[in-house]
Amino acid sequence: MAAIEEHAPASILDQDLYKFCMQQAVLEHYPDADAEYRFVNRDPSILFNRDSFEWLQERISSMAELRATSEDLEYLRSACPYFSADYIAYLSEFKYNPSAEVTCSIDESSGILSLRVCGNWTRIILYEVPLLAMIAESHYRFVDTDWNYVGQREKIAAKGQQLVDAGCRFAEFGTRRRRSFMTQDIVMSELSRIKPGSGGLSGTSNVYLARKYGVRPVGTIGHEWIMGIAALENTYREADRLALLKWQQTYKGQLAVALTDTFGTRVFFATFGRDLADIYDSVRHDSGDPLAFAQAVYEHYKGLGVDPSTKTIIFSDSLTPEISIGIKNRCDSYGIGCSFGIGTNFTNDFSLASNPARGGTALNIVIKLFECGGRPCVKLSDDRTKYTGDIDEVKRAQSELAEFYSI
């Protein structure tokens, strides 16, 4: 059994696969676009202190030393054959430049952390996931310290077994919200040991851990791809469709998962016609009622004349084993496939060390694309608490999409 690592590795592969996938697509379609990302803390009660900030700054600065090794590149060629030779060559020369691209500050009087990432979109797209992991770890190292690893192995083993016994196919999606790298390493150590049945572990989003445990790296597309295209092409109505067509141009039927909620699923379905339904094997749910979504997807496929049993819904919004099992039962009733990407519940489900009967607090943090090509970027989602971006631009997007929104 692979040894558990206490500290995060100095590896460019300690990253979620979908960021590499999107970097290749941006490099092909929008290599000269500039962009800006901003940190958003959705829970104002979660604060930071000077020690956490200084540790975070040191970790950010150390990103300048990361390079893809020859072993990293060979692994990507083997495990991810959809990466082109041109992209592998680009990645072989890639290096972070945090002193020029990342701005981070703290208001010590309030404990509020601010962070921005600015530069060429292709270059800065890889920052989001490692930065979120660092921010979370800084909080749990220096602010919320009433926790330990007691019982974590047993807890994750029980969750994984519960999912397998229920016939759920699931992947580990916890990099961005992990309490520490060691936590995620423990999670993958335990999940990879569970014998599959009708359900089982399909992989992990973390490329480093996929290689370490011999499982499949999984991931495709994020909201920023669609948000950026909406800004660059100046359309919200057609952004989903344009994004899917450009993704198809890059991946030619591979990584065929359509993300549905960037501007709301009703907007998505309006342009997700038979041509795209034939290309894309799966759709992903990331906000709103998952049971209602399953019904809507089933009905949409039936309306297009597509057999729902040939398709899969991937669920990834705030999942637990219990929620996932309930969703699977509903999807089974429709005869449509399903799988689950579970993040926070795997890598940030802890009890208080001082009172194990009480659960700890998991962070709800994101880094979202704020501007692309000089235009503001927004996300509307199926959950109003997940709206992001300039408020005036949100209103403009809703105005363009007025048939779908009550303003």
Side-chain angles (χ1 to χ4, degrees):
M1 184 173 63
I4 297 298
E5 298 171 63
E6 183 177 354
H7 301 293
S11 171
I12 200 168
L13 296 189
D14 184 22
Q15 170 74 272
D16 280 351
L17 177 67
Y18 85 115
K19 300 301 291 191
F20 293 121
C21 297
M22 288 191 293
Q23 187 182 47
Q24 175 171 246
V26 173
L27 180 64
E28 176 179 344
H29 295 282
Y30 301 104
D32 300 320
D34 288 332
E36 177 182 340
Y37 290 79
R38 291 189 183 182
F39 170 70
V40 178
N41 185 351
R42 291 172 172 162
D43 183 352
S45 70
I46 299 297
L47 304 175
F48 297 81
N49 59 27
R50 170 56 57 177
D51 288 341
S52 65
F53 174 69
E54 290 180 351
W55 182 89
L56 177 60
Q57 281 192 308
E58 290 177 4
R59 290 296 308 279
I60 293 172
S61 295
S62 72
M63 294 181 75
E65 302 169 9
L66 295 178
R67 302 288 189 279
T69 67
S70 58
E71 293 80 8
D72 295 339
L73 298 172
E74 184 55 38
Y75 173 75
L76 291 175
R77 289 188 189 97
S78 174
C80 310
Y82 38 80
F83 288 150
S84 69
D86 287 345
Y87 176 62
I88 294 294
Y90 174 86
L91 201 59
S92 72
E93 300 293 328
F94 176 83
K95 57 184 179 181
Y96 293 102
N97 186 9
S99 63
E101 295 165 340
V102 182
T103 304
C104 187
S105 62
I106 187 172
D107 182 335
E108 292 190 62
S109 64
S110 66
I112 294 175
L113 181 73
S114 299
L115 184 143
R116 295 192 308 158
V117 184
C118 302
N120 174 266
W121 192 16
T122 309
R123 285 196 40 77
I124 67 172
I125 198 169
L126 293 188
Y127 275 106
E128 175 196 0
V129 171
L131 285 178
L132 286 171
M134 293 174 193
I135 291 169
E137 186 167 353
S138 76
H139 178 78
Y140 292 111
R141 274 178 175 261
F142 300 101
V143 182
D144 182 353
T145 60
D146 186 12
W147 62 278
N148 56 40
Y149 292 100
V150 173
Q152 279 298 301
R153 283 187 175 276
E154 296 79 7
K155 181 183 290 187
I156 194 64
K159 289 179 179 181
Q161 194 63 58
Q162 183 181 5
L163 288 161
V164 170
D165 290 346
C168 294
R169 297 289 297 170
F170 63 95
E172 187 278 316
F173 273 16
T175 306
R176 67 182 55 235
R177 304 280 174 78
R178 69 191 185 197
R179 193 158 287 213
S180 64
F181 176 82
M182 184 174 173
T183 303
Q184 193 176 16
D185 202 1
I186 290 171
V187 167
M188 282 308 302
S189 175
E190 292 301 317
L191 293 179
S192 64
R193 296 166 63 189
I194 298 174
K195 184 178 180 180
S198 57
L201 178 69
S202 59
T204 173
S205 61
N206 187 288
V207 183
Y208 179 90
L209 291 172
R211 179 173 63 178
K212 179 175 180 176
Y213 290 102
V215 302
R216 187 165 64 99
V218 294
T220 54
I221 190 172
H223 297 101
E224 67 206 271
W225 173 245
I226 304 163
M227 293 164 65
I229 287 175
L232 292 166
E233 304 293 346
N234 193 24
T235 176
Y236 292 107
R237 186 69 170 75
E238 296 296 324
D240 285 308
R241 181 174 179 82
L242 285 173
L244 293 177
L245 290 172
K246 289 178 182 292
W247 193 258
Q248 162 67 6
Q249 289 170 20
T250 298
Y251 289 105
K252 300 174 176 58
Q254 300 183 85
L255 305 182
V257 178
L259 181 57
T260 60
D261 70 326
T262 307
F263 304 115
T265 54
R266 288 186 297 166
V267 178
F268 171 84
F269 284 135
T271 59
F272 190 68
R274 179 63 188 258
D275 59 338
L276 291 174
D278 286 341
I279 293 169
Y280 281 83
D281 302 325
S282 308
V283 295
R284 181 158 75 89
H285 168 271
D286 198 50
S287 65
D289 183 341
L291 302 182
F293 180 80
Q295 179 179 353
V297 171
Y298 172 80
E299 292 175 351
H300 189 73
Y301 280 137
K302 294 291 284 186
L304 294 176
V306 173
D307 181 357
S309 70
T310 65
K311 301 298 182 180
T312 299
I313 306 175
I314 300 171
F315 295 88
S316 59
D317 181 33
S318 304
L319 297 177
T320 66
E322 293 78 12
I323 292 172
S324 301
I325 293 167
I327 294 170
K328 181 183 184 301
N329 291 337
R330 180 63 61 88
C331 288
D332 286 350
S333 73
Y334 294 129
I336 193 167
C338 61
S339 65
F340 305 91
I342 302 178
T344 304
N345 187 256
F346 277 165
T347 62
N348 206 334
D349 181 17
F350 284 76
S351 298
L352 301 183
S354 61
N355 183 2
R358 286 185 57 195
T361 301
L363 300 191
N364 189 358
I365 57 176
V366 294
I367 293 176
K368 286 296 182 184
L369 188 62
F370 184 77
E371 186 176 284
C372 195
R375 298 183 61 89
C377 296
V378 301
K379 175 189 171 191
L380 298 184
S381 179
D382 287 323
D383 178 349
R384 286 184 177 272
T385 67
K386 291 187 173 184
Y387 282 19
T388 60
D390 176 78
I391 187 62
D392 289 335
E393 188 64 19
V394 167
K395 292 178 180 178
R396 192 180 82 80
Q398 289 177 317
S399 178
E400 182 177 329
L401 302 169
E403 63 189 285
F404 305 102
Y405 287 93
S406 298
I407 303 174

